[in-house]
Amino acid sequence: MTVQGLAASRIWVAGHRGMVGGAVARRLEAEGCKVIRAGRDVVDLVNQRAVNVWLAETRPDAIVLAAAKVGGIQANDTRPVDFLYENLMIEANIIHAAHECDVERLLFLGSSCIYPKMAPQPIPEDSLLTGPLESTNEWYAIAKIAGIKLVQAHRKQYGRKWISAMPTNLYGPGDNYDLQSSHVLPALLRKFHEAKVRGDKEVVVWGSGKPLREFLHCDDLADALVFLLQNYDDYEHINVGSGVEVSIRELAETIAEVVGYDAELVFDDSKPDGTPRKLMDSSRLHALGWNNIRSLKDGIRSTYEEVLKNGF
Ligand code: GFB
């Protein structure tokens, strides 16, 4: 049984098929860990009994809980049951089974949307539960807040050395490029690429283009998470952001530059803007000694290269 420096530990990455889980699995393998992967055909994460049985047989040293139902603003806004129910079930089942099986370390992943819509900016960890949530993603946010609390409850009642990290808006290889359910960065990358291929004069951007967002490459997140598994053991969740925010209009302009196509931006105000601003205060993480962040343009460039090679 090992975990301390992580090397040679057996770590279950729940959600390895997703963008974040995939990045975490790659990063842990580079650290010398044995990564355990289990697809839906092996264990159904919304079924408590199935998770209990599988985990009791598998007995990992640690779990990175990256499995979740995720999506962009429209998916969140139109499928509240999926985002609330599935996420509650997945996290509760895994966390409960981890306790039953006495798993030493667990890292739960949340999201920056857990914070109040009008939280102070940059958003410190202690602004959690200080005000109303943004309505387009309150379902997902409530599920993720419950996950943080479940981890804290296990620390408090059973002394578990389990932690939670809250990443900002993410992008990178393995992202979802479906234009209805994706997040803004992959959506605009695809829209600009297809506009270039077709020679379109316009690209449609949802909302006003004014909301501000912070973006982090999933490989940078994975690096931060490995750092946290090695260096962080605290009751409070911890923010993981890049510290750089851009407006959606600026994001579209940067993507246009990377793709190399100058189309007119048409703003579709029938689509929601969501939270006006969502910049996280990641100073606690930086004070611990992690600050390994690539620039947004470099990250978009390598992501675009990847989709040109492997397709959307
Ligand atoms: O990335 P996104 O879907 O999610 O949208 P959130 C961010 C902003 O980009 C919104 C605008 O103001 C969108 O209206 N936008 C412009 C677009 N064009 C597009 C487009 O083509 N597609 C998309 N998707 N957006 C999500 C939450 O919020 O962030 C989740 O719903 C989660 O719960 C995730 O927390 C990180 O940043 O608004």
Side-chain angles (χ1 to χ4, degrees):
M1 174 130 183
T2 165
V3 153
Q4 190 74 49
L6 290 185
S9 298
R10 295 172 65 252
I11 304 186
W12 175 29
V13 177
H16 71 278
R17 288 195 174 132
M19 174 178 72
V20 172
V24 171
R26 290 193 295 276
R27 182 63 188 78
L28 286 170
E29 277 168 345
E31 205 62 31
C33 301
K34 163 92 185 75
V35 171
I36 300 166
R37 296 169 168 87
R40 204 163 294 186
D41 46 322
V42 176
V43 55
D44 176 6
L45 299 180
V46 295
N47 178 333
Q48 180 75 77
R49 207 182 124 64
V51 177
N52 288 351
V53 169
W54 182 81
L55 203 67
E57 282 165 5
T58 312
R59 301 234 160 230
D61 301 319
I63 299 174
V64 177
L65 208 174
K69 173 91 188 161
V70 297
I73 193 165
Q74 180 162 278
N76 269 266
D77 202 21
T78 53
R79 284 153 55 198
V81 175
D82 300 357
F83 280 83
L84 182 55
Y85 175 75
E86 285 187 35
N87 285 310
L88 283 173
M89 289 302 109
I90 291 169
E91 69 203 22
N93 292 344
I94 294 177
I95 290 170
H96 180 68
H99 174 63
E100 297 282 293
C101 295
D102 213 13
V103 175
E104 188 186 337
R105 290 283 274 164
L106 181 144
L107 167 54
F108 171 70
L109 281 169
S111 160
S112 56
C113 72
I114 57 161
Y115 294 112
K117 177 170 186 167
M118 293 306 172
Q121 306 282 331
I123 312 172
E125 284 89 352
D126 64 7
S127 64
L128 184 66
L129 294 173
T130 56
L133 298 164
E134 154 62 28
S135 63
T136 53
N137 59 32
E138 64 179 322
W139 321 98
Y140 182 67
I142 291 283
K144 290 296 182 181
I145 294 169
I148 295 172
K149 290 295 163 192
L150 205 48
V151 167
Q152 289 178 340
H154 281 83
R155 285 189 76 98
K156 187 174 157 131
Q157 191 171 338
Y158 298 113
R160 294 279 174 208
K161 291 168 65 180
W162 296 351
I163 56 173
S164 297
M166 298 304 115
T168 191
N169 285 33
L170 302 165
Y171 69 98
D175 210 341
N176 167 21
Y177 288 93
D178 173 77
L179 293 180
Q180 297 310 312
S181 61
S182 65
H183 289 97
V184 60
L185 196 154
L188 292 182
L189 200 55
R190 181 172 191 159
K191 286 182 185 177
F192 271 97
H193 174 77
E194 291 181 346
K196 181 180 178 176
V197 170
R198 289 192 299 253
D200 296 349
K201 294 211 160 34
E202 298 175 342
V203 163
V204 175
V205 179
W206 293 356
S208 66
K210 291 184 186 140
L212 295 163
R213 293 289 184 276
E214 178 191 25
F215 296 95
L216 184 70
H217 192 281
C218 62
D219 288 344
D220 294 343
L221 171 71
D223 194 61
L225 297 180
V226 168
F227 175 85
L228 288 172
L229 278 169
Q230 291 163 330
N231 296 287
Y232 189 72
D233 181 21
D234 208 347
Y235 180 82
E236 190 159 36
H237 61 280
I238 186 162
N239 289 343
V240 185
S242 63
V244 180
E245 63 178 346
V246 291
S247 70
I248 298 303
R249 175 190 281 277
E250 286 165 337
L251 175 72
E253 288 165 356
T254 306
I255 290 175
E257 215 182 306
V258 170
V259 171
Y261 193 66
D262 196 16
E264 188 193 337
L265 303 180
V266 175
F267 293 95
D268 175 1
D269 61 13
S270 71
K271 293 285 198 285
D273 266 349
T275 305
R277 198 177 169 199
K278 199 164 50 165
L279 174 66
M280 298 212 297
D281 178 351
S282 302
S283 53
R284 284 178 65 231
L285 173 63
H286 298 161
L288 287 172
W290 186 89
N291 203 343
N292 198 9
I293 303 156
R294 75 197 67 195
S295 78
L296 180 58
K297 200 187 258 180
D298 284 352
I300 295 175
R301 204 174 279 129
S302 61
T303 303
Y304 187 46
E305 280 163 14
E306 193 256 348
V307 288
L308 285 179
K309 207 162 74 194
N310 299 323
F312 286 103

